[in-house]
Amino acid sequence: MFTNSIYDLHTHSTASDGALTPTALVERAASRGIKVMALTDHDCVLGVSEAQAAGEKLGVQVVAGSELSITWNNMQIHIAGLFLDINAPKLVEYLKNQRVRRVERAKAIAEKLERQGIHNAYERTLAMAGENANITRGSYARFIFSIGQAQSTDDAFNSYLRKGKSCYVKTQWPDIATAVSTIKAAGGIAVLAHPKRYLMTNMKLRSLIEDFKAVGGEAMEVSSCSQSPSERDYLAKLSLHYELLASLGSDFHAELSYRDLGRGLALPDEVNPVWKCPQAEAMGIANLGL
Ligand code: AMP
Ligand code: MN
Ligand code: MN
Ligand code: MN
């Protein structure tokens, strides 16, 4: 059955490693019946104003967000901030530092790609992604695929970019407390992104959630694209057990992917949706009939 949620709270644009401009992304959201969309580009909010302007024209409420990379127990974890004041000084400073870190890392990855015979990867990826884009490994994967050096973006990861592969660059991201406190200082809600996508046991995941909760984390993603019903039920139970609000999002990056805006997203009845939080109430998105 085709189900399409009117909420999608995890998406990417050309401000980071998405393929669509913020405007084109919101147009796609509108055409798919989305009423509330959060733009959550990696470690930046550069696309938010454009997306909100497009949303106003098209009847899509755009939540200001960002997906922050953190390091927890030597692993790279993603915490999304939703309902952000994008001009909050602490957030602005945090994102400025993250940009410096990402540029350094992107250049270090390019040096390694150079040794594998892929030339000027930083400049060429930037040209493809957009001059102001925050470059991620996802941006490199799309570039490597586009020049025929990989069969798919997945293959680019498996051949070059994944941990243990030739072009992997270990990076120390901020810690969980810093990320969550920065989100909260910007008036936002911290959401643990795609909890089942990390390569960790359920016991370790619980320990991550406990640490996240202890530093003020308030929500977790419960529903995402192409997820089994049992996985969703498991995450729903965790959200109730840890008294976290439940979010949902496609993590859309590009067309022609199984992840599409709103696709198959739904929260079980028993959870507490993140769109019932005071920030959502203030935006007028708390009661849209769901
Ligand atoms: P980074 O934050 O620079 O380490 O890049 C992480 C991003 O790479 C993720 O947000 C995804 O967009 C992308 N990514 C991760 N794994 C894959 C994969 N197997 N194929 C394509 N893109 C991926
Ligand atoms: Mn990405
Ligand atoms: Mn992510
Ligand atoms: Mn994402």
Side-chain angles (χ1 to χ4, degrees), residues 10 12 42 67 194 251 253:
H10 188 151
H12 296 273
H42 297 282
E67 184 175 16
H194 41 65
D251 203 6
H253 283 74

Side-chain angles (χ1 to χ4, degrees), residues 149-226:
Q149 294 290 322
Q151 309 291 314
S152 62
T153 53
D154 219 28
D155 182 33
F157 260 82
N158 291 331
S159 302
Y160 300 101
L161 299 167
R162 195 176 283 293
K163 196 171 189 168
K165 295 296 167 183
S166 58
C167 302
Y168 180 77
V169 172
K170 189 169 162 52
T171 313
Q172 186 69 32
W173 301 110
D175 63 24
I176 195 165
T178 306
V180 171
S181 68
T182 302
I183 289 166
K184 289 169 88 91
I189 296 259
V191 187
L192 178 64
H194 41 65
K196 284 300 279 177
R197 230 191 285 155
Y198 310 114
L199 296 175
M200 62 173 78
T201 60
N202 284 340
M203 208 157 98
K204 195 108 190 190
L205 176 57
R206 282 170 173 268
S207 137
L208 167 62
I209 294 174
E210 280 162 22
D211 285 358
F212 172 67
K213 177 96 184 159
V215 298
E218 287 165 292
M220 61 182 272
E221 287 181 1
V222 164
S223 172
S224 49
C225 285
S226 297

Side-chain angles (χ1 to χ4, degrees), residues 44-55:
C44 77
V45 290
L46 294 171
V48 167
S49 305
E50 182 186 322
Q52 286 179 331

Side-chain angles (χ1 to χ4, degrees), residues 28-208:
R28 187 176 183 87
S31 75
R32 293 180 58 81
I34 306 269
K35 299 280 179 232
V36 181
M37 187 199 96
L39 182 63
T40 52
D41 275 306
H42 297 282
D43 294 305
C44 77
V45 290
L46 294 171
V48 167
S49 305
E50 182 186 322
Q52 286 179 331
E56 248 169 64
K57 286 195 195 114
L58 295 162
V60 178
Q61 300 239 45
V62 175
V63 174
S66 183
E67 184 175 16
L68 308 184
S69 292
I70 63 148
T71 299
W72 178 82
N73 270 351
N74 243 343
M75 278 181 279
Q76 183 174 314
I77 306 294
H78 288 172
I79 309 285
L82 299 179
F83 309 105
L84 298 173
D85 167 4
I86 62 173
N87 297 313
K90 191 169 171 186
L91 178 67
V92 171
E93 177 70 16
Y94 179 100
L95 296 179
K96 197 174 91 190
N97 292 334
Q98 276 296 84
R99 188 161 181 100
V100 171
R101 212 175 263 129
R102 275 201 177 270
V103 169
E104 277 172 10
R105 172 175 177 264
K107 288 182 177 167
I109 293 173
E111 270 177 39
K112 294 193 166 200
L113 286 167
E114 195 74 40
R115 277 181 242 142
Q116 300 301 316
I118 298 177
H119 303 299
N120 301 319
Y122 179 66
E123 292 75 16
R124 293 161 78 196
T125 298
L126 209 52
M128 189 175 153
E131 213 178 298
N132 292 318
N134 233 11
I135 300 296
T136 76
R137 287 183 296 161
S139 323
Y140 275 123
R142 193 165 310 121
F143 163 68
I144 293 166
F145 170 53
S146 78
I147 60 167
Q149 294 290 322
Q151 309 291 314
S152 62
T153 53
D154 219 28
D155 182 33
F157 260 82
N158 291 331
S159 302
Y160 300 101
L161 299 167
R162 195 176 283 293
K163 196 171 189 168
K165 295 296 167 183
S166 58
C167 302
Y168 180 77
V169 172
K170 189 169 162 52
T171 313
Q172 186 69 32
W173 301 110
D175 63 24
I176 195 165
T178 306
V180 171
S181 68
T182 302
I183 289 166
K184 289 169 88 91
I189 296 259
V191 187
L192 178 64
H194 41 65
K196 284 300 279 177
R197 230 191 285 155
Y198 310 114
L199 296 175
M200 62 173 78
T201 60
N202 284 340
M203 208 157 98
K204 195 108 190 190
L205 176 57
R206 282 170 173 268
S207 137
L208 167 62

Side-chain angles (χ1 to χ4, degrees), residues 249-267:
S250 61
D251 203 6
F252 175 81
H253 283 74
E255 292 145 301
L256 303 177
S257 155
Y258 63 88
R259 287 186 207 152
D260 208 336
L261 295 167
R263 176 179 286 164
L265 302 176
L267 291 180

